Amino acid sequence: MRKLNDDLDSVLAPIPGFLFSSAAHGTAWLLIHQAEADFKGGILEIGIFRGKYFSVLAMGSQFTGERLMGIDNFVFSPEEAVHTALSANPGTAECDYRIIARSSRNVSEEEILSTLGNPARFVSVDGSHEAEDVYQDLILTSGILSPHGIIAIDDFLNPRALGVGEATHRFLGAHRDLIPFALFGNKLFTCRLPFRDEYQESIHRFFDTSDLPEGHAYRKLVGLGKEHVEQRLHGHTLLVM
Ligand SMILES: C[S@@+](CC[C@H](N)C(=O)[O-])C[C@H]1O[C@@H](n2cnc3c(N)ncnc32)[C@H](O)[C@@H]1O
């Protein structure tokens, strides 16, 4: 499998923000998987802050030439910081992206679809951590997701962001078409059922071949039995690292 960037960690290091290396590398892996499988679609993030995870998404967007869209109210940081971060790296400097500087509560499915030009193949939900806001972000983004699309939900298990877990459980319980397939790097990855096995097997391959500490841990745990890297959530088996 090809790589989005040979030195992902050094590219992301100068950008302020909190992002596990496994989340960055695993997401890059999934974006390449989609590109190689010819899964088309735009890419979207709600909650960009200074553009750390957005830069990983921008690499995936630039790789295929598809559009990237970001939504942020920019209460904590200026929008300009995102432009600076993306223009500083050759892997993101040519990315075709649009930013909507506004609360996601005031963005419609129609606006996202017309901005992206087509349904999204990858979405990051990382804006407000209030349960009702996160729930509405999940409703909004599941409505613009392509059949093969992935929604990554940040902070699902973060005790400092309990609203994310509350909203996600409520959403997964009520909207059975979105299935969790992996939990790693502080993000819960979900997709539609027909693509669950393919993405889950891909993430198994990611950890199986990864030099990250999580890769070493994965191989050790799988050696003891696959049940050591799998859990059940809302009736589905997902990979947990
Ligand atoms: C946790 S940070 C995002 C971190 C980012 N994904 C990264 O990789 O560094 C959350 C961001 O969402 C923004 N935000 C909070 N509530 C929002 C809302 N309702 N709509 C849009 N953006 C929001 C915040 O201003 C902040 O920039």
Side-chain angles (χ1 to χ4, degrees):
M1 186 119 113
R2 285 177 288 172
K3 284 190 168 177
L4 269 191
N5 192 295
D6 284 332
D7 205 0
L8 193 55
D9 293 315
S10 338
V11 170
L12 299 176
I15 307 171
F18 181 77
L19 178 63
F20 279 96
S21 192
S22 63
H25 286 266
T27 298
W29 178 280
L30 286 169
L31 290 167
I32 290 280
H33 178 114
Q34 291 182 321
E36 293 188 343
D38 210 22
F39 291 166
K40 304 251 184 269
I43 301 177
L44 168 71
E45 177 163 62
I46 296 179
I48 322 169
F49 187 49
R50 314 273 308 224
K52 204 173 182 77
Y53 194 57
F54 199 61
S55 291
V56 179
L57 304 181
M59 288 174 208
S61 160
Q62 184 167 310
F63 189 78
T64 59
E66 289 162 311
R67 181 163 289 170
L68 169 67
M69 176 180 178
I71 302 169
D72 199 295
N73 57 17
F74 293 109
V75 166
F76 301 109
S77 170
E79 179 183 337
E80 194 51 38
V82 181
H83 301 301
T84 304
L86 263 60
S87 57
N89 293 301
T92 56
E94 304 299 321
C95 169
D96 172 18
Y97 71 98
R98 300 281 186 281
I99 288 182
I100 307 285
R102 183 187 327 143
S103 165
S104 58
R105 282 295 195 112
N106 301 321
V107 179
S108 67
E109 287 184 20
E110 292 71 28
E111 185 174 10
I112 296 174
L113 287 172
S114 71
T115 303
L116 288 179
N118 53 20
R121 68 169 158 113
F122 198 101
V123 172
S124 162
V125 173
D126 193 12
S128 165
H129 290 157
E130 295 299 322
E132 193 52 38
D133 291 337
V134 179
Y135 188 74
Q136 292 305 327
D137 284 347
L138 291 172
I139 297 276
L140 177 70
T141 54
S142 61
I144 55 85
L145 196 68
S146 70
H148 48 260
I150 293 172
I151 300 182
I153 306 166
D154 194 68
D155 281 322
F156 171 62
L157 281 186
N158 185 346
R160 305 213 167 270
L162 290 178
V164 178
E166 179 185 335
T168 305
H169 285 299
R170 183 177 156 209
F171 183 85
L172 293 178
H175 302 265
R176 308 297 297 177
D177 57 326
L178 217 60
I179 311 291
F181 67 89
L183 173 65
F184 62 91
N186 198 38
K187 294 182 190 291
L188 181 71
F189 293 82
T190 66
C191 69
R192 296 224 165 81
L193 186 58
F195 293 87
R196 189 264 314 269
D197 291 352
E198 176 171 344
Y199 286 138
Q200 197 165 76
E201 282 160 22
S202 187
I203 283 299
H204 273 286
R205 282 198 299 283
F206 164 68
F207 282 112
D208 198 26
T209 56
S210 173
D211 285 334
L212 293 171
E214 290 88 342
H216 294 284
Y218 170 90
R219 291 185 287 278
K220 204 169 172 181
L221 288 167
V222 162
L224 300 171
K226 210 175 175 189
E227 68 275 15
H228 291 274
V229 294
E230 288 181 341
Q231 302 256 342
R232 300 276 294 167
L233 185 70
H234 287 273
H236 300 283
T237 300
L238 66 161
L239 183 155
V240 178
M241 277 308 300

